[in-house]
Amino acid sequence: MQRGCPSQGLPVLPGSCWVPGLVFPDWAYKAESSPGSRQIQLWHFILELLQKEEFRHVIAWQQGEYGEFVIKDPDEVARLWGRRKCKPQMNYDKLSRALRYYYNKRILHKTKGKRFTYKFNFSKLIFLSCPAWDARCPSSLPGTGCLCRPPAVPPGMPSQVGAP
DNA sequence: TGCGGAAATC
DNA sequence: GATTTCCGCA
């Protein structure tokens, strides 16, 4: 039986996307490519983009608000998403529809007033990534990706973001 | 721009 | 089940 927390076959992204200052909880990165048919999910993909500096011009965390991010280039994000899912006809209109479905799932929220701005609900995310959460939290699992700690996610980006 | 129903698709 | 596609509405 496999545990809910990715600890052994840690499928964490190759290379290193751990940008200093922007450290994500390990469990946020569950296996995307499971031997079967489990495709990557949109919120996973968004998280992936948000951690890479090379995509800071298309999507980035919003300073000040916890878990809030802004899509600076909706078209580009849609293109990247479409490429990942082999959907060349993807666009922001369709992508945003998928995002809207997350409202009910309580994965995402919309920051009204701000254009292309959404907000992650990490309370929900950690549950999705670590099913064995309700059990209890071991003092400290050595070398385990699933730790017992509060979601400390989007810090204040060290760099300055294009102010409106 | 953003929302959400509905049918289709994987 | 999670989108993708299409579309009318505010």
Side-chain angles (χ1 to χ4, degrees), chain A residues 38-143:
Chain A
R38 190 174 290 178
Q39 289 183 51
I40 185 174
Q41 284 176 280
L42 183 54
W43 63 270
H44 246 73
F45 180 75
I46 298 295
L47 240 42
E48 221 173 281
L49 257 44
L50 281 167
Q51 73 180 307
K52 299 180 182 180
E53 274 194 46
E54 58 254 58
F55 295 115
R56 282 253 289 283
H57 62 290
V58 294
I59 187 172
W61 291 115
Q62 181 74 284
Q63 276 188 329
E65 275 305 314
Y66 175 81
E68 201 173 279
F69 65 94
V70 186
I71 297 175
K72 299 179 181 178
D73 257 316
D75 217 53
E76 179 66 11
V77 175
R79 189 156 44 246
L80 290 165
W81 174 235
R83 193 189 305 170
R84 187 62 163 270
K85 291 288 290 288
C86 296
K87 296 287 179 183
Q89 299 307 307
M90 180 54 61
N91 57 41
Y92 182 67
D93 180 54
K94 296 169 186 172
L95 190 153
S96 60
R97 180 68 256 254
L99 248 37
R100 266 174 249 137
Y101 271 127
Y102 282 155
Y103 298 168
N104 300 313
K105 295 180 181 178
R106 315 197 79 181
I107 291 176
L108 231 52
H109 276 215
K110 185 74 183 70
T111 302
K112 294 186 177 181
K114 298 175 187 172
R115 248 167 59 162
F116 310 130
T117 303
Y118 296 84
K119 189 172 177 178
F120 269 112
N121 178 351
F122 274 87
S123 304
K124 181 74 179 183
L125 250 43
I126 61 177
F127 257 76
L128 287 171
S129 297
C130 189
W133 193 259
D134 59 276
R136 32 69 166 173
C137 301
S139 304
S140 54
L141 293 171

Side-chain angles (χ1 to χ4, degrees), chain A residues 2 9 11 31-39:
Chain A
Q2 53 275 95
E32 312 157 2
S33 45
S34 291
S37 56
R38 190 174 290 178
Q39 289 183 51

